[in-house]
Amino acid sequence: MAILDILNYPDPRLYTVAKPVKEVDASIRRLVEDMAQTMYAAPGIGLAATQVNVHLQVIVIDISEDKNGLQVFINPKLVNKCGSQDYEEGCLSVPGVYETVTRAETVTVEALDINGKPFTLEAEGLLAVCIQHEMDHLQGKVFVDYLSQLKQTRIKTRMKKRQREFA
């Protein structure tokens, strides 16, 4: 297992649309393991393959307190969205930034698990937010895209300054 590098906003690679996984094989299972390790080390509660510069439809999420509830979504599709909720979101690709975003309150998602078996999951609350946030990454969208142009500009400036300081 390896800890992967996480792309930081406004890296243009974060705007790449991910391709469906053709076959859930050993390389995809290895990617899932590496993504999970990367997410836990960050620390975070969700990570999309796009964020580690792999442009395949793979998401890992773990919202459990003790970090033993890893959920894997391969080729996820939202089949139903219901209601509305405002939630303060953060992102491993936009470190230190937290902003309120409006998303569906409940979602139904269809995906493949780590063994390539199809499943359907209905989620609400934080899990629903996390699924929608990570699926946005697969579509080449970052949560700051939901914010006003002024906030986006401020965040972009802050992230670029941060990158220069770490360079």
Side-chain angles (χ1 to χ4, degrees), residues 21-100:
V21 171
K22 288 185 172 58
E23 180 187 357
V24 180
D25 57 14
S27 68
I28 295 299
R29 285 189 283 279
R30 172 66 187 241
L31 173 63
V32 166
E33 288 174 14
D34 290 348
M35 285 175 59
Q37 186 174 1
T38 302
M39 175 186 71
Y40 290 132
I45 60 170
L47 188 67
T50 302
Q51 292 175 271
V52 294
N53 202 27
V54 176
H55 303 286
L56 294 171
Q57 294 179 10
V58 179
I59 293 170
V60 294
I61 295 174
D62 189 344
I63 61 168
S64 68
E65 288 292 319
D66 51 4
K67 302 299 175 209
N68 70 352
L70 184 67
Q71 294 177 282
V72 177
F73 301 83
I74 298 169
N75 298 341
K77 287 182 182 42
L78 281 183
V79 293
N80 192 26
K81 299 194 315 189
C82 189
S84 175
Q85 65 179 330
D86 292 335
Y87 220 96
E88 187 177 68
E89 296 185 24
C91 181
L92 294 176
S93 290
V94 194
V97 175
Y98 300 90
E99 293 286 344
T100 301

Coordinates of all heavy atoms in Angstrom, one line a residue, residues 21-100:
V21 N -14.7 2.4 -14.8 CA -13.8 1.3 -14.7 C -14.4 0.2 -15.5 O -15.6 -0.2 -15.4 CB -13.7 0.9 -13.2 CG1 -13.0 -0.4 -13.0 CG2 -13.1 2.0 -12.4
K22 N -13.5 -0.4 -16.4 CA -14.0 -1.4 -17.3 C -14.1 -2.8 -16.6 O -15.0 -3.6 -16.8 CB -13.0 -1.6 -18.5 CG -13.2 -0.4 -19.5 CD -12.3 -0.7 -20.7 CE -12.5 0.3 -21.8 NZ -12.3 1.7 -21.6
E23 N -13.1 -3.0 -15.7 CA -13.1 -4.3 -15.0 C -12.5 -4.1 -13.6 O -11.5 -3.4 -13.5 CB -12.3 -5.3 -15.7 CG -12.2 -6.7 -15.1 CD -11.2 -7.6 -15.7 OE1 -10.6 -7.3 -16.8 OE2 -11.0 -8.7 -15.2
V24 N -13.2 -4.6 -12.6 CA -12.7 -4.5 -11.2 C -11.7 -5.7 -11.0 O -12.0 -6.8 -10.8 CB -13.8 -4.6 -10.1 CG1 -13.2 -4.5 -8.7 CG2 -14.8 -3.4 -10.4
D25 N -10.4 -5.3 -11.2 CA -9.3 -6.3 -11.1 C -8.3 -6.0 -10.0 O -8.6 -5.1 -9.2 CB -8.6 -6.4 -12.5 CG -8.0 -5.1 -13.0 OD1 -7.9 -4.2 -12.2 OD2 -7.7 -5.0 -14.1
A26 N -7.2 -6.6 -10.0 CA -6.2 -6.4 -8.9 C -5.7 -5.0 -8.9 O -5.5 -4.4 -7.8 CB -5.1 -7.4 -9.1
S27 N -5.6 -4.4 -10.1 CA -5.0 -3.0 -10.1 C -6.0 -2.0 -9.5 O -5.7 -1.1 -8.8 CB -4.7 -2.6 -11.5 OG -5.8 -2.5 -12.3
I28 N -7.3 -2.3 -9.7 CA -8.4 -1.4 -9.1 C -8.4 -1.6 -7.6 O -8.5 -0.7 -6.8 CB -9.7 -1.6 -9.8 CG1 -9.7 -1.3 -11.3 CG2 -10.9 -0.9 -9.0 CD1 -9.4 0.2 -11.6
R29 N -8.3 -2.9 -7.2 CA -8.3 -3.1 -5.7 C -7.1 -2.5 -5.1 O -7.2 -2.0 -4.0 CB -8.4 -4.7 -5.5 CG -9.8 -5.2 -5.7 CD -10.0 -6.6 -5.3 NE -9.4 -7.6 -6.2 CZ -9.9 -8.0 -7.3 NH1 -11.1 -7.6 -7.6 NH2 -9.3 -8.9 -8.1
R30 N -6.0 -2.5 -5.7 CA -4.8 -1.9 -5.2 C -5.0 -0.3 -5.1 O -4.6 0.3 -4.1 CB -3.6 -2.2 -6.1 CG -2.3 -1.4 -5.8 CD -1.8 -1.9 -4.4 NE -0.7 -1.0 -4.0 CZ 0.5 -1.5 -3.8 NH1 0.8 -2.8 -3.9 NH2 1.5 -0.7 -3.4
L31 N -5.6 0.2 -6.2 CA -5.9 1.6 -6.1 C -6.8 2.0 -4.9 O -6.6 3.0 -4.2 CB -6.6 2.1 -7.5 CG -7.2 3.5 -7.5 CD1 -6.0 4.5 -7.4 CD2 -8.0 3.7 -8.8
V32 N -7.9 1.2 -4.7 CA -8.8 1.4 -3.6 C -8.0 1.3 -2.3 O -8.2 2.2 -1.4 CB -9.9 0.3 -3.6 CG1 -10.7 0.3 -2.3 CG2 -10.9 0.6 -4.8
E33 N -7.1 0.4 -2.1 CA -6.3 0.3 -0.9 C -5.4 1.5 -0.7 O -5.3 2.1 0.4 CB -5.4 -1.0 -0.9 CG -6.2 -2.3 -0.7 CD -5.3 -3.5 -0.9 OE1 -4.0 -3.4 -0.9 OE2 -5.8 -4.6 -1.0
D34 N -4.8 1.9 -1.8 CA -3.9 3.1 -1.7 C -4.7 4.4 -1.4 O -4.3 5.2 -0.6 CB -3.1 3.3 -3.0 CG -2.1 2.2 -3.2 OD1 -1.7 1.5 -2.3 OD2 -1.5 2.1 -4.3
M35 N -5.9 4.5 -2.0 CA -6.7 5.6 -1.8 C -7.2 5.7 -0.3 O -7.3 6.7 0.3 CB -7.9 5.6 -2.7 CG -7.6 6.0 -4.2 SD -9.0 5.8 -5.3 CE -10.2 6.9 -4.5
A36 N -7.6 4.5 0.2 CA -8.1 4.4 1.6 C -6.9 4.9 2.5 O -7.1 5.7 3.4 CB -8.6 3.0 1.9
Q37 N -5.7 4.3 2.3 CA -4.6 4.7 3.2 C -4.3 6.2 3.1 O -4.0 6.8 4.1 CB -3.4 3.9 2.8 CG -2.2 4.1 3.7 CD -1.0 3.2 3.4 OE1 -1.1 2.4 2.5 NE2 0.0 3.3 4.2
T38 N -4.4 6.7 1.9 CA -4.2 8.2 1.6 C -5.2 9.0 2.4 O -4.9 10.0 3.0 CB -4.2 8.5 0.1 OG1 -3.2 7.7 -0.5 CG2 -3.9 9.9 -0.2
M39 N -6.5 8.6 2.3 CA -7.6 9.3 2.9 C -7.4 9.3 4.4 O -7.5 10.3 5.1 CB -8.9 8.7 2.5 CG -10.1 9.2 3.3 SD -11.6 8.4 2.9 CE -11.4 6.8 3.8
Y40 N -7.1 8.1 5.0 CA -6.9 8.0 6.5 C -5.7 8.8 6.9 O -5.8 9.5 8.0 CB -6.8 6.6 6.9 CG -8.0 5.7 6.8 CD1 -8.0 4.5 6.2 CD2 -9.3 6.2 7.2 CE1 -9.1 3.7 6.0 CE2 -10.4 5.4 7.1 CZ -10.3 4.2 6.5 OH -11.5 3.4 6.4
A41 N -4.7 8.9 6.2 CA -3.4 9.6 6.6 C -3.6 11.1 6.5 O -2.9 11.8 7.2 CB -2.3 9.2 5.7
A42 N -4.6 11.6 5.6 CA -4.7 13.0 5.3 C -5.0 13.9 6.6 O -4.3 14.9 6.6 CB -5.7 13.2 4.2
P43 N -5.9 13.7 7.5 CA -7.0 12.7 7.5 C -8.2 13.3 6.8 O -8.5 14.5 6.9 CB -7.2 12.5 8.9 CG -6.9 13.8 9.6 CD -5.8 14.4 8.7
G44 N -9.0 12.4 6.2 CA -10.3 12.8 5.6 C -11.3 11.7 5.7 O -11.1 10.7 6.3
I45 N -12.5 12.0 5.2 CA -13.6 11.1 5.2 C -14.0 10.6 3.8 O -14.9 9.7 3.7 CB -14.8 11.6 6.0 CG1 -15.4 12.9 5.4 CG2 -14.5 11.8 7.5 CD1 -16.7 13.3 5.9
G46 N -13.4 11.2 2.8 CA -13.8 10.7 1.4 C -12.7 11.1 0.5 O -11.9 12.1 0.7
L47 N -12.5 10.3 -0.6 CA -11.5 10.6 -1.6 C -11.9 10.0 -2.9 O -12.4 8.9 -3.0 CB -10.1 10.0 -1.2 CG -8.9 10.4 -2.0 CD1 -8.6 11.9 -1.8 CD2 -7.7 9.6 -1.6
A48 N -11.8 10.8 -3.9 CA -12.1 10.4 -5.3 C -10.8 10.1 -6.0 O -9.8 10.8 -5.8 CB -13.0 11.4 -6.0
A49 N -10.8 9.2 -6.9 CA -9.5 8.9 -7.7 C -9.0 10.1 -8.4 O -7.8 10.3 -8.5 CB -9.8 7.7 -8.6
T50 N -9.9 11.0 -8.9 CA -9.5 12.2 -9.6 C -8.5 13.0 -8.7 O -7.6 13.6 -9.2 CB -10.7 13.1 -9.9 OG1 -11.6 12.3 -10.7 CG2 -10.3 14.3 -10.6
Q51 N -8.7 13.0 -7.4 CA -7.9 13.8 -6.5 C -6.5 13.3 -6.4 O -5.6 14.0 -5.9 CB -8.5 13.8 -5.1 CG -9.8 14.6 -5.0 CD -10.5 14.5 -3.7 OE1 -11.2 13.6 -3.4 NE2 -10.1 15.4 -2.8
V52 N -6.3 12.0 -6.7 CA -4.9 11.5 -6.7 C -4.4 11.3 -8.2 O -3.5 10.4 -8.4 CB -4.8 10.2 -5.9 CG1 -5.1 10.5 -4.4 CG2 -5.8 9.1 -6.4
N53 N -5.0 12.0 -9.1 CA -4.6 12.0 -10.5 C -4.8 10.7 -11.2 O -4.0 10.4 -12.1 CB -3.2 12.6 -10.6 CG -2.9 13.1 -12.0 OD1 -3.8 13.6 -12.7 ND2 -1.6 13.0 -12.4
V54 N -5.8 10.0 -10.8 CA -6.2 8.7 -11.5 C -7.6 9.0 -12.0 O -8.5 9.2 -11.1 CB -6.1 7.5 -10.6 CG1 -6.7 6.3 -11.3 CG2 -4.7 7.3 -10.1
H55 N -7.8 9.1 -13.2 CA -9.1 9.5 -13.8 C -10.0 8.4 -14.1 O -10.5 8.2 -15.3 CB -8.9 10.5 -14.9 CG -8.0 11.7 -14.4 ND1 -8.5 12.6 -13.6 CD2 -6.7 11.9 -14.5 CE1 -7.5 13.5 -13.2 NE2 -6.4 13.0 -13.8
L56 N -10.3 7.6 -13.1 CA -11.3 6.5 -13.1 C -12.4 6.7 -12.1 O -12.1 7.4 -11.0 CB -10.6 5.2 -12.9 CG -9.6 4.7 -13.9 CD1 -8.8 3.5 -13.4 CD2 -10.3 4.4 -15.2
Q57 N -13.5 6.2 -12.3 CA -14.7 6.4 -11.4 C -14.6 5.5 -10.2 O -15.2 4.4 -10.1 CB -16.0 6.2 -12.1 CG -16.2 7.2 -13.2 CD -17.5 7.0 -14.0 OE1 -18.4 6.1 -13.6 NE2 -17.7 7.7 -15.0
V58 N -13.7 5.9 -9.2 CA -13.5 5.2 -8.0 C -13.6 6.2 -6.8 O -12.9 7.2 -6.9 CB -12.2 4.4 -8.0 CG1 -12.0 3.7 -6.6 CG2 -12.1 3.5 -9.1
I59 N -14.4 5.8 -5.8 CA -14.5 6.7 -4.6 C -14.3 5.8 -3.4 O -14.8 4.7 -3.3 CB -15.9 7.3 -4.5 CG1 -16.1 8.3 -5.7 CG2 -16.2 8.0 -3.2 CD1 -17.5 8.8 -5.8
V60 N -13.7 6.3 -2.3 CA -13.6 5.7 -1.0 C -14.2 6.7 0.0 O -13.9 7.9 -0.1 CB -12.2 5.2 -0.6 CG1 -11.8 4.1 -1.5 CG2 -11.2 6.3 -0.6
I61 N -15.0 6.2 0.9 CA -15.6 7.0 2.0 C -15.6 6.2 3.3 O -15.8 5.0 3.3 CB -17.1 7.4 1.6 CG1 -17.1 8.3 0.4 CG2 -17.8 8.0 2.8 CD1 -18.5 8.5 -0.2
D62 N -15.3 6.9 4.4 CA -15.4 6.3 5.7 C -15.8 7.4 6.7 O -15.0 8.3 7.1 CB -14.1 5.7 6.1 CG -14.3 4.9 7.4 OD1 -15.3 5.1 8.1 OD2 -13.4 4.0 7.8
I63 N -17.1 7.5 7.1 CA -17.5 8.5 8.0 C -17.7 8.0 9.4 O -18.1 8.7 10.3 CB -18.9 9.1 7.5 CG1 -20.0 8.1 7.5 CG2 -18.7 9.9 6.2 CD1 -21.4 8.6 7.3
S64 N -17.2 6.7 9.6 CA -17.3 6.2 11.0 C -16.3 6.8 11.9 O -15.2 7.4 11.5 CB -17.0 4.6 10.9 OG -15.6 4.4 10.6
E65 N -16.6 6.9 13.2 CA -15.7 7.5 14.2 C -14.4 6.7 14.3 O -13.4 7.3 14.4 CB -16.4 7.5 15.6 CG -17.6 8.4 15.7 CD -17.1 9.9 15.7 OE1 -16.1 10.2 16.3 OE2 -17.8 10.7 15.0
D66 N -14.5 5.4 14.3 CA -13.2 4.6 14.5 C -12.5 4.2 13.3 O -11.6 3.3 13.3 CB -13.6 3.4 15.4 CG -14.7 2.6 14.9 OD1 -15.3 2.9 13.8 OD2 -15.1 1.6 15.5
K67 N -13.0 4.7 12.1 CA -12.3 4.5 10.8 C -12.2 3.0 10.5 O -11.2 2.5 10.0 CB -10.9 5.1 10.8 CG -10.9 6.6 11.1 CD -11.7 7.3 10.0 CE -11.8 8.8 10.3 NZ -13.0 9.4 9.7
N68 N -13.3 2.3 10.7 CA -13.4 0.9 10.3 C -14.6 0.6 9.4 O -15.1 -0.5 9.3 CB -13.4 0.0 11.5 CG -14.6 0.0 12.3 OD1 -15.5 0.8 12.1 ND2 -14.7 -0.9 13.3
G69 N -15.2 1.7 8.8 CA -16.4 1.6 8.0 C -16.2 2.0 6.5 O -17.0 2.7 6.0
L70 N -15.0 1.5 6.0 CA -14.7 1.9 4.6 C -15.8 1.5 3.6 O -16.2 0.3 3.6 CB -13.4 1.3 4.2 CG -12.9 1.7 2.8 CD1 -12.5 3.2 2.8 CD2 -11.7 0.9 2.4
Q71 N -16.2 2.4 2.8 CA -17.2 2.1 1.7 C -16.5 2.4 0.4 O -15.8 3.5 0.3 CB -18.5 2.9 1.9 CG -19.2 2.5 3.2 CD -20.4 3.4 3.4 OE1 -20.3 4.5 3.8 NE2 -21.6 2.9 3.0
V72 N -16.7 1.6 -0.6 CA -16.1 1.7 -1.9 C -17.2 1.8 -2.9 O -18.2 1.0 -2.9 CB -15.2 0.5 -2.2 CG1 -14.6 0.6 -3.6 CG2 -14.1 0.4 -1.2
F73 N -17.1 2.8 -3.8 CA -18.1 3.0 -4.9 C -17.3 3.1 -6.2 O -16.5 4.0 -6.4 CB -18.8 4.3 -4.7 CG -19.6 4.4 -3.4 CD1 -18.9 4.8 -2.2 CD2 -20.9 4.2 -3.3 CE1 -19.6 4.9 -1.0 CE2 -21.6 4.3 -2.1 CZ -20.9 4.7 -0.9
I74 N -17.5 2.1 -7.0 CA -16.9 2.1 -8.4 C -18.0 2.3 -9.4 O -19.0 1.6 -9.3 CB -16.1 0.7 -8.6 CG1 -15.0 0.6 -7.5 CG2 -15.6 0.6 -10.0 CD1 -14.4 -0.8 -7.5
N75 N -17.7 3.2 -10.3 CA -18.7 3.6 -11.3 C -20.1 4.0 -10.7 O -21.1 3.5 -11.1 CB -18.9 2.5 -12.4 CG -17.7 2.1 -13.2 OD1 -16.8 2.9 -13.2 ND2 -17.7 0.9 -13.7
P76 N -20.0 4.9 -9.7 CA -21.3 5.2 -9.0 C -22.2 6.1 -9.9 O -21.7 6.9 -10.7 CB -20.8 6.1 -7.8 CG -19.5 6.7 -8.3 CD -18.9 5.6 -9.2
K77 N -23.5 5.9 -9.7 CA -24.5 6.6 -10.5 C -25.6 7.0 -9.4 O -26.1 6.1 -8.7 CB -25.1 5.8 -11.6 CG -24.2 5.6 -12.8 CD -24.9 4.8 -13.8 CE -24.1 4.5 -15.0 NZ -22.7 4.1 -14.7
L78 N -25.9 8.3 -9.4 CA -27.0 8.7 -8.6 C -28.3 8.4 -9.3 O -28.5 8.9 -10.4 CB -27.0 10.2 -8.3 CG -26.0 10.7 -7.2 CD1 -26.1 12.2 -7.0 CD2 -26.2 10.0 -5.9
V79 N -29.2 7.6 -8.7 CA -30.4 7.3 -9.4 C -31.6 8.0 -8.8 O -32.7 8.0 -9.4 CB -30.7 5.7 -9.4 CG1 -29.6 5.1 -10.3 CG2 -30.7 5.2 -8.0
N80 N -31.4 8.6 -7.6 CA -32.5 9.4 -7.0 C -31.9 10.4 -6.0 O -30.9 10.1 -5.3 CB -33.5 8.5 -6.3 CG -34.7 9.2 -5.9 OD1 -35.1 10.2 -6.5 ND2 -35.4 8.7 -4.8
K81 N -32.5 11.6 -6.0 CA -32.1 12.7 -5.1 C -33.4 13.3 -4.5 O -34.3 13.4 -5.3 CB -31.3 13.8 -5.8 CG -30.0 13.3 -6.4 CD -29.0 14.4 -6.8 CE -29.4 15.6 -7.5 NZ -28.3 16.4 -8.0
C82 N -33.3 13.6 -3.2 CA -34.5 14.1 -2.6 C -34.2 15.1 -1.5 O -33.2 14.9 -0.8 CB -35.3 12.9 -2.0 SG -36.9 13.2 -1.4
G83 N -35.0 16.1 -1.4 CA -34.8 17.1 -0.3 C -33.6 18.0 -0.6 O -33.0 18.0 -1.6
S84 N -33.3 18.8 0.5 CA -32.2 19.7 0.4 C -31.6 19.9 1.8 O -32.4 20.0 2.8 CB -32.8 21.0 -0.2 OG -31.8 22.0 -0.2
Q85 N -30.3 20.1 1.8 CA -29.7 20.4 3.1 C -28.4 21.2 2.9 O -27.8 21.1 1.8 CB -29.3 19.1 3.8 CG -28.2 18.2 3.1 CD -27.9 17.0 3.9 OE1 -27.9 16.9 5.1 NE2 -27.5 15.9 3.1
D86 N -28.2 22.1 3.8 CA -26.9 22.9 3.8 C -25.9 22.2 4.7 O -26.3 21.8 5.9 CB -27.2 24.3 4.3 CG -28.1 25.1 3.3 OD1 -28.1 24.7 2.1 OD2 -28.7 26.0 3.8
Y87 N -24.7 22.0 4.2 CA -23.7 21.3 5.0 C -22.4 22.0 4.8 O -22.0 22.4 3.7 CB -23.6 19.9 4.6 CG -23.4 18.9 5.7 CD1 -24.5 18.2 6.2 CD2 -22.2 18.6 6.2 CE1 -24.4 17.3 7.2 CE2 -22.0 17.7 7.2 CZ -23.1 17.0 7.7 OH -23.0 16.1 8.7
E88 N -21.6 22.2 5.9 CA -20.3 22.8 5.8 C -19.4 21.7 5.3 O -19.2 20.7 6.0 CB -19.8 23.4 7.1 CG -18.5 24.1 7.0 CD -18.0 24.8 8.3 OE1 -17.6 24.0 9.2 OE2 -18.0 26.0 8.3
E89 N -18.8 22.0 4.1 CA -17.9 21.0 3.5 C -16.4 21.5 3.5 O -16.2 22.7 3.5 CB -18.3 20.7 2.1 CG -19.7 20.1 1.9 CD -20.0 19.7 0.5 OE1 -19.1 19.5 -0.3 OE2 -21.2 19.7 0.2
G90 N -15.6 20.5 3.6 CA -14.1 20.7 3.4 C -13.7 19.7 2.3 O -14.5 18.9 1.9
C91 N -12.5 19.8 1.9 CA -12.0 18.9 0.8 C -10.5 18.8 1.0 O -9.7 19.7 1.2 CB -12.3 19.6 -0.5 SG -11.8 18.6 -1.9
L92 N -10.0 17.5 0.8 CA -8.6 17.3 0.9 C -7.8 18.0 -0.2 O -6.6 18.2 0.0 CB -8.3 15.8 0.9 CG -8.8 15.0 2.1 CD1 -8.6 13.5 1.9 CD2 -8.2 15.4 3.4
S93 N -8.4 18.3 -1.3 CA -7.8 19.1 -2.3 C -7.8 20.6 -2.1 O -7.2 21.3 -2.9 CB -8.4 18.7 -3.7 OG -8.1 17.4 -4.1
V94 N -8.6 21.0 -1.1 CA -8.7 22.5 -0.8 C -8.4 22.6 0.7 O -9.4 22.9 1.5 CB -10.0 23.1 -1.2 CG1 -10.0 24.6 -1.2 CG2 -10.5 22.6 -2.6
P95 N -7.2 22.3 1.2 CA -7.0 22.2 2.6 C -7.2 23.5 3.4 O -6.9 24.6 2.9 CB -5.5 21.7 2.7 CG -4.9 22.0 1.4 CD -6.0 22.0 0.4
G96 N -7.9 23.4 4.5 CA -8.1 24.5 5.4 C -9.3 25.4 5.0 O -9.6 26.4 5.7
V97 N -10.0 25.0 4.0 CA -11.2 25.8 3.5 C -12.4 25.0 3.8 O -12.6 23.8 3.5 CB -11.1 26.1 2.0 CG1 -12.4 26.8 1.5 CG2 -9.8 26.9 1.7
Y98 N -13.4 25.7 4.5 CA -14.7 25.1 4.8 C -15.8 26.1 4.5 O -15.7 27.2 4.9 CB -14.7 24.7 6.3 CG -13.7 23.7 6.7 CD1 -12.4 24.2 7.2 CD2 -13.9 22.4 6.6 CE1 -11.4 23.3 7.5 CE2 -12.9 21.4 6.9 CZ -11.7 21.9 7.4 OH -10.7 21.0 7.7
E99 N -16.7 25.6 3.7 CA -17.8 26.5 3.2 C -19.1 25.7 3.1 O -19.1 24.5 2.9 CB -17.5 27.1 1.8 CG -16.3 28.0 1.8 CD -16.6 29.4 2.4 OE1 -17.8 29.7 2.6 OE2 -15.6 30.1 2.7
T100 N -20.2 26.4 3.3 CA -21.5 25.8 3.3 C -22.0 25.6 1.8 O -21.9 26.5 1.0 CB -22.5 26.6 4.1 OG1 -22.1 26.7 5.4 CG2 -23.9 25.9 4.1

